[in-house]
Structures are given as C-alpha cells and as structure tokens.
Amino acid sequence: MRIISGMRPTGKLHLGHYYGVIKSWIELQEKEETFFFIADWHALTTSYKDVNELEKNIKELMVDWLSLGLDPKKSVLFRQSHVKQHAELYLLLGMITPKSWLEWNPTYKDMKYNLLKIQDLEIQFRGGIRDAVRQFINMLPYKVEDFEGFEEHLMDSLAENLVEALFNGLIEKEMLQKINVSKREFYETDTYGFLGYPVLQSADILIYKAEGVPVGEDQLPHIEMTREIARRFNHLYGNTFPEPKALLTETPKIPGTDGRKMSKSYGNAIFFSDENKEIEEKILKMFTDPQKLRKNDPGRPDICAVFTYHKIMNPNKDEVEEIYRDCKEGKLGCVECKRKLLPHVISVIEPVRERRKTIAKDIGTIHDVFEEGSKKAREIAERTMEEVREKMHIK
Ligand code: TRP
C-alpha cells in the first residue's frame, strides 16, 4: 500500500508528535511504500508574517525525523515546496472544489481558533455559562428529550458567540489583552491561502495516488475532503485517483503536563531536545487528580495525566496495574508515582536527544537526504501530472 503523510514545520518535536503520528510512520515504513514530507507551504498558510523562523524550523524537523528513526532508505523523505507539481495540482483541484466545502470544513474554524488560543477562552466562558444554560433549559415550557445533548449544543454556540462578541468589542475588552490575542491577529488567518488549506493537502495526497494517510484525529475532515475531491475529479474526467483512507494510531492520546492537549504554545510539552534535568522538573510539576491533595487520598488514575504516561511509556505492565490499584486505594502518593515514571520518560527521550546532537552537526548531509527524496517524489508527481493535464485538456 502506498502511504503518505506530512507535517508542518512549527518547531521542535515533542512527545505529542511522536505518539500522535511519528511512531506509526516508523512502523509503516517497515512494511509499506512510504512518503513523508515537510509541509512548508502549509506552514505559510498561518505564519506568513514570521518567515524568519521557517528555515530554522525546517532544519529542526529534519533533524528530529532522522533522530526518531525515519529512514531515507525505507521512506521517501522530502520537502513539499521542492516538488512544485503539488502547487500545479492544487491550482487545478481548486477549479473543481466548491467553496462551500471549504467554508464548512470544521478544521477551517478550528485551526483559526487553535491558533488564536480561543479555545482557552471558550473554556473559560463555558465555566461561566453552564448554570445559566441549565436554568434556561429548565425554564422552557417544552419537554427536552436529551437534556445533556441540548445543553452541550447551547454551550457550544453560546461560547462561540461570546468569543465573537469579545472580538467585536461588545464585552470585557481587557480579556483580549489577558490572552494576548489582537483583533489584527484574528483576521490574519482570514486569507485565501488558509481557506484553501485542505485543497493543497488533497493535492499532496492525490499526486502520489496514495491509499493510506497516517494522521491524527484532527486531520480527519481534511482526509474526508480529499476523498470528496478525488471522487469529483474521477467523475468529471475519468477514473484517476484512488480514494485515500485515514490511518489512525492506536496509542492513546498523550496529554500535556497540565492535562490539556500537548502543545508548544501551552507550555506543557516535553521535547526530544529536553535534558534530563528539564524532564525531571516537568514531570514533578505535572498536574494530577485535583481531588487528591494528600498522599493517602484515593486518586482517579483514569483522569490523571501521570497515569496516562505510565500506560504509554512504562513497559512494566504489572507495575502499571499496581500503580492503578494503589492510587485508587490511596496507597500511592503523586510524587512517588512521578518518581516511578521519570526513568521511563527519560529512556524514551534520551537516545533520541543524543542522536539529535550528532545528526545536527552534519546539516549538509541532511539537506542532501531531503533533496534526494524530493527528486524521487518529483518523478512520481510529474507522472501523475502528465495524466491530469491530459485528462483536463491542458497539456
Ligand atoms: N495538515 C497536516 C497537519 O497539520 C499536515 C499535512 C499537510 C498533511 N499535507 C498533508 C498530512 C498531507 C497528511 C497528508 O498535521
């Protein structure tokens, strides 16, 4: 099966990237025909203003990939912008993509929101409006069949409206300063390029006629759109593209050290470049069950980030079970539990970190590796483009 996936160069990689996708990429390259690329054009859809960082981030990503075990002998590793055919296909696919598909793409809104830390704001708002929403539902003269579903629905739309109102200056202006988001920034992602993000992604995938796309859950709407665009193309010009499938990993999602999604911008990430001392500090500061205040209070491992780490990184399954039991029964304190975790996190990070240091010294070779990959990718991409041009009578 032919596999493709890409990643935007947004900085150094952390555990979230590894358990989210890269681990599965490394497994796939052993048995499938794999293509992995640095989506530098996609990075520009949001960060077109700070291009100064781009070159550094690309290098950082190349070093991280190789250190983690992506192998140019097994996978074609390349850089999106070095295969110009992606841009040509993107242009042509744009001709057949209804604008409404892009506007309704949930990720279009989501990414905007993520980028602007608005999710944070919404969460804050939700706290404030829950009681009011419940009271409101109770006051309705109708019988509500699905109280919780309706409540969530109202919460979602109210939180969203509150954010809008905030940006329009209708409520507490100070909040905007507090979260450090300017109105200008909000509109920076209101570009044609950002709207077209999924069309470019579709071109990335279809140009290799890939069948499988290993990605995180957040990418599902993009893969779905790729399938729709492929179907539309095939219908209009004859069968050309297979409809690719998203391949999701089975590893549970690894939270950040504060329990939220792991993300550089939240300051809750553990990076593959972290020294052991930093890892220790981060682990010891991790959030645990907020109801477990003292060592002997019973805890709830199911909602605890530290326990999730144990599940993912501690290879001693008997110990993991014991930790689960002891935590629940109030026999294990959080500090001790974190101490037990630390060596496992270090043994995941340390070998990669040390390889990083060696690999980074030889930046010339790294660029050659990606140039070699780009050349292979170009040949395949050009073959597809010849077929596409012919089918669209634009040779
Ligand atoms: N949108 C993906 C992300 O943010 C990156 C990406 C770009 C991609 N093109 C792709 C992933 C093609 C898979 C296939 O993670």
Side-chain angles (χ1 to χ4, degrees):
M1 179 157 64
R2 185 174 282 175
I3 304 283
I4 186 140
S5 198
M7 190 175 269
R8 282 170 298 133
T10 52
K12 290 186 261 191
L13 293 191
H14 51 60
L15 289 174
H17 295 109
Y18 177 63
Y19 289 107
V21 283
I22 295 191
K23 187 165 175 284
S24 92
W25 293 5
I26 291 165
E27 286 157 14
L28 284 164
Q29 73 178 350
E30 297 303 328
K31 43 185 201 291
E32 310 288 352
E33 190 193 359
T34 42
F35 292 71
F36 300 114
F37 66 94
I38 295 177
D40 47 359
W41 278 332
H42 273 111
L44 288 179
T45 62
T46 54
S47 323
Y48 56 90
K49 293 221 163 160
D50 32 74
V51 286
N52 295 332
E53 295 281 292
L54 194 57
E55 208 52 46
K56 190 179 116 254
N57 286 344
I58 290 169
K59 258 185 236 160
E60 208 75 76
L61 192 56
M62 289 173 169
V63 172
D64 271 323
W65 278 10
L66 298 175
S67 313
L68 280 162
L70 285 174
D71 182 349
K73 291 197 200 74
K74 297 173 181 162
S75 294
V76 179
L77 305 177
F78 67 101
R79 202 169 146 172
Q80 182 188 37
S81 68
H82 287 202
V83 185
K84 309 291 183 208
Q85 286 82 351
H86 289 224
E88 187 185 352
L89 185 58
Y90 165 58
L91 176 94
L92 294 175
L93 295 180
M95 307 301 172
I96 67 165
T97 306
K99 198 154 62 62
S100 60
W101 290 6
L102 301 174
E103 285 161 350
W104 288 104
N105 183 286
T107 327
Y108 173 63
K109 289 185 200 161
D110 274 10
M111 282 197 45
K112 248 182 174 171
Y113 277 28
N114 258 334
L115 194 78
L116 300 164
K117 306 174 202 153
I118 285 177
Q119 275 181 341
D120 258 338
L121 257 186
E122 286 197 303
I123 289 164
Q124 284 182 43
F125 284 145
R126 280 166 162 270
I129 56 187
R130 190 172 287 279
D131 284 343
V133 164
R134 283 190 185 151
Q135 257 181 15
F136 170 76
I137 301 175
N138 281 325
M139 273 163 49
L140 287 173
Y142 320 103
K143 183 163 171 278
V144 175
E145 297 290 353
D146 175 6
F147 192 102
E148 272 173 29
F150 189 45
E151 183 190 11
E152 279 321 300
H153 174 77
L154 283 178
M155 299 275 300
D156 284 348
S157 53
L158 276 176
E160 205 174 304
N161 280 324
L162 270 170
V163 170
E164 274 228 86
L166 183 72
F167 277 106
N168 292 327
L170 302 177
I171 50 176
E172 280 193 89
K173 294 196 182 86
E174 304 79 62
M175 270 194 91
L176 277 179
Q177 285 156 353
K178 230 169 37 200
I179 58 154
N180 200 14
V181 170
S182 67
K183 193 165 173 173
R184 192 178 51 80
E185 247 179 298
F186 177 69
Y187 290 107
E188 268 174 21
T189 50
D190 226 3
T191 57
Y192 170 64
F194 187 67
L195 182 68
Y197 188 107
V199 184
L200 180 56
Q201 183 157 347
S202 301
D204 296 337
I205 297 168
L206 298 178
I207 207 161
Y208 300 101
K209 302 194 177 190
E211 293 167 277
V213 192
V215 284
E217 237 177 317
D218 61 319
Q219 295 296 309
L220 288 178
H222 290 144
I223 308 303
E224 197 43 48
M225 188 167 319
T226 306
R227 294 164 64 82
E228 273 160 24
I229 292 177
R231 232 174 285 151
R232 190 160 160 83
F233 187 99
N234 293 343
H235 168 72
L236 290 168
Y237 312 112
N239 221 3
T240 311
F241 299 118
E243 284 177 37
K245 283 192 187 60
L247 310 174
L248 293 176
T249 42
E250 271 144 44
T251 320
K253 223 194 212 114
I254 191 158
T257 53
D258 60 359
R260 292 185 295 174
K261 181 181 165 153
M262 190 179 283
S263 161
K264 184 177 68 173
S265 58
Y266 286 157
N268 64 4
I270 299 177
F271 294 94
F272 283 98
S273 56
D274 284 352
E275 293 297 335
N276 293 351
K277 195 83 207 122
E278 286 173 277
I279 302 173
E280 181 175 357
E281 276 165 22
K282 289 180 181 180
I283 297 291
L284 289 177
K285 269 198 252 155
M286 274 181 80
F287 288 28
T288 55
D289 178 358
Q291 286 177 18
K292 184 168 161 66
L293 299 174
R294 274 168 295 266
K295 181 176 182 302
N296 295 324
D297 290 343
R300 293 171 297 172
D302 293 308
I303 61 145
C304 178
V306 176
F307 185 70
T308 309
Y309 281 32
H310 271 293
K311 267 196 299 199
I312 296 174
M313 287 182 264
N314 186 339
N316 181 347
K317 295 304 157 211
D318 292 338
E319 190 187 40
V320 177
E321 258 176 51
E322 189 185 307
I323 289 171
Y324 186 83
R325 256 193 336 263
D326 289 353
C327 173
K328 275 198 134 168
E329 290 168 13
K331 287 190 205 146
L332 175 68
C334 296
V335 176
E336 198 186 336
C337 180
K338 290 171 175 178
R339 286 269 167 225
K340 283 179 196 281
L341 172 67
L342 183 62
H344 303 302
V345 182
I346 288 180
S347 67
V348 170
I349 303 273
E350 194 166 47
V352 181
R353 185 187 64 220
E354 297 312 309
R355 263 200 303 280
R356 263 182 126 262
K357 290 179 188 163
T358 330
I359 290 175
K361 285 193 197 122
D362 202 359
I363 198 72
T365 310
I366 297 173
H367 277 289
D368 291 348
V369 163
F370 280 77
E371 237 359 88
E372 194 57 34
S374 300
K375 202 173 138 217
K376 283 189 214 156
R378 271 197 299 272
E379 280 163 24
I380 298 170
E382 179 56 23
R383 249 182 282 147
T384 306
M385 280 320 295
E386 279 165 14
E387 191 184 339
V388 166
R389 289 179 205 123
E390 188 167 309
K391 287 190 165 149
M392 291 183 86
H393 296 260
I394 196 96
K395 266 206 282 184

